[in-house]
């Protein structure tokens, strides 16, 4: 996306990883690479959580941190002057990349995509992959699974699977009409 010559990077050369507004608070020391690679971040209510990093993202962050000089308490993602990126700057980057993506996927043009949209997309992807809602709640930093219920209600595939489990394949559709023998038996009770 954008005019970067490096895959996975934006126009300024920063990695295109924007899971939400937690990005603005990340320092270099919050990233652990190698075995058990993860990022420590602070979410709503100052809750701390560790989010595992995929191998491609781990490699991308390794390269990014190697290119950027700094101290452990310096912001991981910063402006040209070294200051921490603002939430608005992150939102602007997302909308810029969403417009570029709409060139290849026209349905995106009518969508308002912001940092929180990425959280919802992540949650729906995890749900559709069969991940339990309690794990999704932990992943997103929710205090309980009730916050995750909205994703279950929004997912039509989950509803269709539940419906398929309740309807035996051998039963013809329509209202059940018991045979006369069963009706006669019930009347004797």
């Amino acid at each position: 996306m954008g005019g970067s010559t490096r895959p996975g990077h934006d126009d300024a050369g920063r990695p295109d990883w924007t899971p939400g507004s937690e990005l603005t608070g990340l320092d270099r020391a919050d990233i652990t690479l190698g075995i058990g690679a993860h990022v420590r971040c602070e979410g709503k209510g100052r809750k701390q959580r560790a989010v595992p990093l995929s191998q491609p993202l781990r490699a991308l962050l390794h390269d990014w941190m190697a290119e950027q000089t700094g101290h452990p308490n310096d912001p991981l993602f910063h402006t040209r002057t070294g200051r921490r990126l603002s939430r608005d700057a992150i939102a602007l980057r997302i909308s810029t990349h969403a417009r570029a993506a709409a060139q290849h996927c026209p349905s995106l043009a009518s969508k308002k995509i912001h940092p929180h949209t990425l959280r919802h997309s992540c949650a729906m992807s995890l749900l559709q992959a069969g991940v339990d809602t309690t794990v999704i709640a932990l992943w997103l930093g929710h205090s309980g699974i009730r916050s995750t219920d909205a994703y279950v209600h929004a997912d039509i595939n989950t509803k269709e699977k539940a419906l398929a489990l309740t309807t035996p394949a051998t039963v013809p559709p329509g209202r059940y009409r018991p045979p006369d023998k069963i009706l006669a038996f019930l009347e004797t009770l």
Side-chain angles (χ1 to χ4, degrees):
M1 291 182 167
S4 174
T5 58
R6 298 185 57 212
H9 287 68
D10 66 9
D11 294 334
R14 292 185 210 41
D16 284 337
W17 174 54
T18 51
S21 62
E22 292 91 346
L23 279 178
T24 59
L26 289 178
D27 292 331
R28 293 173 59 85
D30 294 327
I31 304 298
T32 300
L33 301 173
I35 296 176
H38 65 279
V39 58
R40 287 183 313 277
C41 57
E42 189 174 275
K44 285 183 182 177
R46 297 191 175 267
K47 277 196 243 166
Q48 297 286 324
R49 71 180 187 280
V51 179
L53 298 173
S54 66
Q55 176 56 39
L57 186 53
R58 185 171 78 192
L60 193 64
L61 285 171
H62 177 270
D63 292 348
W64 170 249
M65 291 176 75
E67 290 174 10
Q68 307 298 314
T69 58
H71 302 287
N73 291 332
D74 287 346
L76 180 64
F77 302 111
H78 50 80
T79 65
R80 280 180 255 157
T81 60
R83 288 193 214 133
R84 195 172 297 280
L85 282 177
S86 68
R87 292 174 121 176
D88 289 340
I90 301 243
L92 179 62
R93 290 188 178 289
I94 290 172
S95 65
T96 299
H97 289 292
R99 280 194 307 277
Q103 302 291 325
H104 302 284
C105 183
S107 65
L108 290 176
S110 63
K111 309 270 192 266
K112 182 172 167 82
I113 300 173
H114 47 82
H116 214 73
T117 306
L118 300 179
R119 284 179 58 86
H120 292 297
S121 296
C122 174
M124 291 302 288
S125 294
L126 291 169
L127 182 66
Q128 289 171 348
V131 176
D132 187 75
T133 54
T134 54
V135 174
I136 296 171
L138 287 170
W139 186 288
L140 297 177
H142 293 164
S143 58
I145 61 167
R146 293 184 78 190
S147 301
T148 316
D149 286 346
Y151 302 115
V152 174
H153 294 296
D155 185 25
I156 191 72
N157 292 332
T158 301
K159 292 175 184 176
E160 287 174 349
K161 286 178 187 174
L163 184 60
L165 291 173
T166 61
T167 308
T170 58
V171 176
R175 186 173 175 175
Y176 176 71
R177 300 201 185 277
D180 290 337
K181 278 184 167 182
I182 293 177
L183 287 174
F185 168 75
L186 291 173
E187 286 187 25
T188 63
L189 298 177

